[in-house]
Amino acid sequence: MLELHAAFLALVGGTELFFAALALLNVRHGAETVAERAQWVSERLGVADTERLVAYQRAGTGLSLLRSVVGLAVVLLVLYSGLFGDVVAALEGVALPPVARGVIFFAALVVVARVASAPFSLYETFVVEEQFGFNQQSPRLWLRDFVVGLVVSLVLVAIVAGGVLLTLELFPEWWWVGAWGLFVAFSLAMLVIYPRVIAPLFYDFEPVETSDLRDAVDDVFERAGFDCEQVYTMDASSRSSHSNAYFVGFGRTKRVVLFDTLIDQMDHEEIKSVLAHELAHWKRGHIWKQLASSALRIGIVLVIFSVLIEQPWLYEMFGVPETAYAGLALGTLWIEPLVRLSAPLENRLSLRHEREADSFAVDVMGSGSALADALANLTSENLANPFPHPLYATFHYTHPPIPDRIRYIERQGDSGNADGHAGEAAG
């Protein structure tokens, strides 16, 4: 048993230590590179105060590290103090069906996790984001979002946990197959439910109708060969001045969402280039490829779970009654570090898709200048780190670093322009 405890602590603690070291290395590398390339950062990205950018990265990283360390310490304390085993034993004494006990268990975990993270969220919002001019929330709005978010999380957890535990009870040998189907169905459903039900609980969405912006949107849709009537602006400025845009859904449910902050910070050509990039994820089938990749990953994880929860040592380590929901929780502690360490495999697919989307946007716009300017604008407005450490980017970045993307886009644009001029000359 001592060997198991040593292996567990090495895996969980070692993984946390590895990612903490990566985060510190990333901040240091970013600060040094920003200082070396201060002129490029100022002239190309439009960041007038590079020290402010570096300070924002340091503040965010420091808070994230503190949150991770405290979280791990609390988890280990709960496990090794016997509190976790006592809670499971008490819950097993409740006269409810096993599935209901499991749903209560996971709902309680969500509540505890949300409440425990609240001080960090408050500090991030009203100290870090406030200090750097991003926060637009009042304490009352933050509390309202916290409560609504907690309720939504509880509903979703009850559905997923209840479904998984039910399949485990009905099909003990092959439960992971049913759970896999449930996760795939849930992922597809969320593509429709999130934009239509969940997101409107937090933000107001206004359709983009007859206007210069709508004309710009229709123009890029026509160029991309894309049909979508549902184009909305979202009042992101009610919470933060960060900017973004996204595409979500499929079939008749697909919609494009533009942050109002994005509209304020960019001209129409830049907005069109961002839209063209987002539309590429649909036109090139990236959404379905990502879903397939996610389904494969979830299937592998569930197979590992099916083996783990059958091991008596998983429960004996912390004196926990052998029950399905406790096994899933304990198994997560072993599997989560492995998922984090395998992130580069998942990120490779996303990186390739982002390259394809950038190329698509250049083709649609006929030039890469607007998209390159848009990316520079986003980096400047959001104080994003333009120079992540390569190893940090390998584990965390689903998009290529901004300087790499700008170089790639400008090369694509030059290549496209060259081909176009050559064609005109030949004609």
Side-chain angles (χ1 to χ4, degrees), residues 199-268:
L201 295 175
F202 300 92
Y203 296 98
D204 292 329
F205 293 82
E206 295 292 336
V208 177
E209 298 175 338
T210 306
S211 64
D212 291 342
L213 177 60
R214 182 69 208 204
D215 292 341
V217 170
D218 288 340
D219 178 57
V220 77
F221 279 3
E222 183 178 350
R223 293 190 195 186
F226 189 82
D227 180 32
C228 178
E229 292 299 321
Q230 300 188 55
V231 183
Y232 295 87
T233 59
M234 185 182 87
D235 65 332
S237 60
S238 63
R239 270 78 173 175
S240 171
S241 59
H242 288 296
S243 55
N244 209 338
Y246 64 86
F247 171 87
V248 69
F250 57 90
R252 294 183 178 180
T253 68
K254 61 182 182 286
R255 64 171 55 183
V256 174
V257 177
L258 302 171
F259 287 23
D260 58 353
T261 48
L262 182 87
I263 296 171
D264 292 339
Q265 294 166 6
M266 294 188 180
D267 62 35
H268 285 175

Side-chain angles (χ1 to χ4, degrees), residues 2 36-37 93 95 108 125 144 193 220 249 261 278 286 293 357 364 386 412:
L2 285 176
E36 292 171 1
R37 302 187 60 185
T125 301
R144 181 258 182 203
I193 294 172
V220 77
T261 48
E278 294 300 324
H286 296 163
S293 173
V364 166
Q412 291 292 107

Side-chain angles (χ1 to χ4, degrees), residues 60 79 97 121 181 201 204 306:
L79 289 173
S121 178
L201 295 175
D204 292 329
S306 70

Side-chain angles (χ1 to χ4, degrees), residues 40-47 375-377 379-380 386-387 402-403 406:
W40 185 87
V41 172
S42 175
E43 294 178 355
R44 186 64 186 91
L45 300 183
V47 179
L375 292 174
N377 198 333
T379 303
S380 175
F387 305 111
I402 291 298
I406 290 177

Side-chain angles (χ1 to χ4, degrees), residues 30 44 70 73 90 126 151 169-170 172 193 210 219 253 255 300 309 396:
R44 186 64 186 91
V70 172
F126 296 106
V151 171
E169 183 176 287
L170 296 176
I193 294 172
T210 306
D219 178 57
T253 68
R255 64 171 55 183
I300 294 172
I309 65 174
H396 290 90

Side-chain angles (χ1 to χ4, degrees), residues 4-6 8-9 75-83 317-318:
L4 282 172
H5 283 289
F8 174 73
L9 291 173
V75 168
L76 294 178
L77 178 62
V78 168
L79 289 173
Y80 282 97
S81 68
L83 179 60
M317 282 182 66
F318 302 107

